[in-house]
Amino acid sequence: MEVSVEQQLRASCDQTFKGYRDLIAAHRVKVRSVQVGTVLSVEEGIAQVNGLARVHAEELLEFPHGIRGLAFNLDEDRVGVVLLDHYEKLRAGDEVRRTERVLDVPVGEELLGRVVDALGRPVDHLGPLEAAVRYPCERSSPRIMDRAAVSVPLQTGMKIIDALVPIGRGQRELILGDRQTGKTSVAVNTMLNQTDVVCVYCAIGQQTSAVANVIERLRDHQRLQQCVVVVASGSDPPGAQYVAPYAATSIAEYFMSEGRDVLIVYDDLTSHARAYRQLSLLLRRPPGREAFPGDIFYIHSRLLERSTHLLEELGGGTLTALPIVETEAQNLSAYIPTNLISITDGQILLSPNQFQKGILPAVDVGRSVSRVGGKTQLPIYRAVAGDLKLAYAQFEELEAFSRFSSRLDKETQQRLDRGRLVREVLKQSEDDSLDVAEQVAVLMAVTGGAWDAVPLNLVQDVELALRKRIEAEPALRQRMSQGGRLSSDDQEMLLGLAENVATEVRRAN
Ligand code: ATP
Ligand code: MG
């Protein structure tokens, strides 16, 4: 059949126009409006910007040279922006662009073993981070109905804490003390003692060398692979120091939402409060007590409220927080320490006097508390350390008074001797960590009276000997590790062992 000229023409036209149609479809122009503003001035960590009329509070803004900032103060004619990156290259007159999103950080398994900055960018030279999921830095805390009671202990490996101020998973326990009293050391030792807990260490406003030491310790103990380190050092802009703990908490929350147990350390929130005070004053917000802004309580409680124990239906994950606060001349009633004491579920107070006397860890037992941890403590501790805290605190008072009198009655002398023995046993070096069985054996020996005759200078040796001795009793060790109440036979056996090692060590010396 012959094809008419008309049909041929039509077919060729169709083909040509189809080509055009495809071309047009492929090149559809997408129009997107981006609001651009101008930098008016740059101060310490702050930029004043105008021309961003519809910017949202806390919105992420982009400056030239990859510098980013958060819209903080929304005034009628200008926006006060907190800068998150080093801002030396930023000049008045530079352009600012809106991003229409809030600050977020990469989260996920990829972060384990990595060191990142406050915006989640790696700083450890291990290559780029390939994280598929991002969480906003500011997330609301879990609802009350989603929270379960704190029920599982978090063993720190330190006798003085596990026995006297126990911490539960999902609890917030403040570590506070003057400078150089071993605050970081208590937190890092706790991180080193974990086996099944993901740890996030957030360094705020510290010297880079101090952070490097912590990372080195984690690496030496093969723990770094289970940890994430978030660093905003003292040389970073105050904006980065301000957002770092929120970013670190989002990273930790990812693991909690996967049903895992997570421990987060904020080292330290005094620097965080100072960075926020600097930003607030530069933004001309009204200063309050100690020149801190009025919302300083809110920014810390908003942060720490995110730690919790989730219900079983939500995965049962926990986030335990160990915020650190530095005091000046042991002044607990300064603004930031009192705020944090009232936000957290207890505090571990480190005493410079004890530190100077070499009583380490320098925990001030009388003034340290754990408001929820006691309920989670393993039952096995009750038998050996039930009233130890009270007795020890009383001993410290008694010791202070007994300095004034030369003659003491027999009972007082016995209490003093026992107290000194307990103090010697509670000493622990930084690199030493005891599991439940070892702790219970040692505490049992003291409270059961098996070591009353041991001279104080031999206590450490006797303790080591006992720890070695129970290695040879796997069945007993196993029963103790389970944490249930000890049978009276086991208790007798333990006391027998403790007396034996004490006699052996005394004979050898
Ligand atoms: P800063 O105020 O500078 O942050 P800090 O309170 O965090 O100090 P650390 O850095 O933890 O204190 O400890 C101070 C010093 O005490 C360190 O050199 C540390 O090694 C030592 N130290 C802390 N705890 C112990 C311990 N249990 N045994 C031996 N040394 C310890
Ligand atoms: Mg420290």
Side-chain angles (χ1 to χ4, degrees):
M1 202 178 76
E2 221 177 276
V3 183
S4 74
V5 178
E6 191 192 331
Q7 277 173 327
Q8 276 183 357
L9 254 176
R10 180 160 298 175
S12 102
C13 280
D14 276 353
Q15 211 166 5
T16 318
F17 281 118
K18 185 176 176 297
Y20 279 131
R21 267 200 302 274
D22 289 350
L23 215 61
I24 289 169
H27 282 84
R28 183 148 304 215
V29 181
K30 291 195 186 94
V31 181
R32 192 167 72 96
S33 81
V34 180
Q35 268 192 57
V36 179
T38 316
V39 176
L40 292 175
S41 64
V42 183
E43 297 156 88
E44 291 278 307
I46 298 279
Q48 298 289 348
V49 164
N50 75 354
L52 294 178
R54 271 177 293 165
V55 72
H56 292 206
E58 309 257 316
E59 184 177 329
L60 191 65
L61 302 176
E62 278 174 356
F63 295 87
H65 314 293
I67 300 169
R68 296 198 273 176
L70 284 183
F72 242 56
N73 263 21
L74 308 184
D75 291 334
E76 268 175 33
D77 56 338
R78 58 174 58 193
V79 179
V81 183
V82 166
L83 298 169
L84 302 175
D85 293 290
H86 285 279
Y87 49 85
E88 287 77 19
K89 291 186 182 158
L90 204 61
R91 299 274 174 272
D94 281 347
E95 262 187 9
V96 201
R97 284 165 185 272
R98 281 187 64 185
T99 59
E100 298 188 23
R101 58 189 184 88
V102 291
L103 184 67
D104 55 13
V105 278
V107 297
E109 302 289 328
E110 298 82 356
L111 275 113
L112 290 176
R114 301 300 302 262
V115 183
V116 297
D117 69 4
L119 304 184
R121 293 169 301 200
V123 289
D124 53 3
H125 311 296
L126 291 179
L129 247 174
E130 314 279 349
V133 190
R134 299 185 74 90
Y135 273 7
C137 287
E138 290 282 356
R139 302 177 80 223
S140 51
S141 53
R143 297 180 309 155
I144 292 180
M145 303 309 289
D146 295 343
R147 296 173 185 237
V150 174
S151 55
V152 182
L154 183 97
Q155 294 294 133
T156 63
M158 281 168 278
K159 286 167 283 190
I160 195 159
I161 297 179
D162 290 340
L164 304 180
V165 262
I167 303 173
R169 296 188 179 187
Q171 182 182 346
R172 300 151 304 167
E173 182 83 4
L174 185 67
I175 300 175
L176 84 169
D178 283 9
R179 48 184 295 279
Q180 288 289 309
T181 46
K183 303 182 294 295
T184 305
S185 169
V186 166
V188 173
N189 284 352
T190 308
M191 286 166 68
L192 293 178
N193 194 50
Q194 306 310 317
T195 47
D196 56 342
V197 178
V198 176
C199 300
V200 179
Y201 178 78
C202 178
I204 311 157
Q206 291 190 49
Q207 286 177 357
T208 324
S209 60
V211 186
N213 280 343
V214 171
I215 297 173
E216 208 48 50
R217 279 195 74 196
L218 291 173
R219 190 176 287 134
D220 285 350
H221 289 77
Q222 279 87 41
R223 276 292 305 159
L224 193 58
Q225 280 316 312
Q226 284 303 306
C227 296
V228 186
V229 180
V230 180
V231 187
S233 70
S235 57
D236 285 333
Q241 296 181 40
Y242 165 66
V243 297
Y246 301 99
T249 312
S250 292
I251 291 171
E253 275 173 340
Y254 170 83
F255 296 106
M256 173 170 71
S257 66
E258 296 283 294
R260 313 252 296 257
D261 290 319
V262 192
L263 168 69
I264 185 161
V265 174
Y266 305 103
D267 194 359
D268 59 85
L269 289 186
T270 311
S271 309
H272 182 244
R274 287 197 191 122
Y276 189 64
R277 172 169 66 182
Q278 181 181 342
L279 294 172
S280 299
L281 291 176
L282 286 166
L283 286 168
R284 305 210 188 333
R285 292 186 177 181
R289 187 174 156 192
E290 292 179 25
F292 286 106
D295 59 346
I296 191 82
F297 185 90
Y298 168 66
I299 69 158
H300 282 156
S301 58
R302 182 176 80 200
L303 176 70
L304 293 169
E305 274 304 306
R306 289 164 73 178
S307 304
T308 189
H309 177 192
L310 290 177
L311 284 182
E312 215 48 56
E313 301 92 81
L314 297 168
T318 61
L319 177 56
T320 314
L322 293 180
I324 295 179
V325 151
E326 187 183 296
T327 51
E328 276 171 21
Q330 304 187 59
N331 180 10
L332 301 189
S333 49
Y335 194 23
I336 303 301
T338 36
N339 276 354
L340 282 159
I341 287 173
S342 62
I343 294 169
T344 49
D345 312 306
Q347 74 267 358
I348 293 173
L349 179 67
L350 299 170
S351 140
N353 303 343
Q354 272 178 244
F355 193 90
Q356 278 156 15
K357 285 186 200 150
I359 306 172
L360 297 171
V363 177
D364 184 336
V365 174
R367 292 199 285 170
S368 299
V369 286
S370 175
R371 295 195 193 99
V372 292
K375 296 184 201 98
T376 69
Q377 198 179 33
L378 294 172
I380 194 167
Y381 279 96
R382 306 255 161 80
V384 294
D387 53 1
L388 193 61
K389 184 168 192 291
L390 187 65
Y392 188 70
Q394 282 172 348
F395 149 71
E396 284 185 321
E397 252 172 53
L398 193 63
E399 193 186 34
F401 277 111
S402 67
R403 276 199 214 120
F404 301 114
S405 66
S406 48
R407 271 187 297 146
L408 297 167
D409 62 85
K410 200 163 162 236
E411 194 202 338
T412 314
Q413 192 58 49
Q414 269 173 355
R415 272 166 64 186
L416 282 175
D417 289 345
R418 172 65 69 80
R420 291 196 181 108
L421 179 67
V422 171
R423 179 160 65 199
E424 202 57 36
V425 161
L426 291 179
K427 281 187 190 169
Q428 195 169 328
S429 86
E430 223 175 350
D431 288 316
D432 196 14
S433 143
L434 283 81
D435 62 19
V436 176
E438 287 174 321
Q439 291 189 15
V440 168
V442 172
L443 291 168
M444 181 84 177
V446 179
T447 52
W451 290 353
D452 279 349
V454 178
L456 290 183
N457 59 347
L458 288 185
V459 169
Q460 304 278 338
D461 295 344
V462 177
E463 180 186 328
L464 271 183
L466 178 63
R467 284 165 65 183
K468 276 218 191 80
R469 186 69 188 75
I470 61 165
E471 281 300 324
E473 303 283 345
L476 174 68
R477 218 187 127 82
Q478 170 70 18
R479 284 197 294 280
M480 289 202 286
S481 300
Q482 282 162 357
R485 281 190 183 284
L486 268 191
S487 65
S488 49
D489 287 351
D490 281 345
Q491 292 192 13
E492 265 171 40
M493 182 174 172
L494 254 181
L495 282 178
L497 289 177
E499 272 160 22
N500 285 350
V501 291
T503 343
E504 278 166 26
V505 171
R506 286 178 66 191
R507 209 172 288 147
N509 282 276

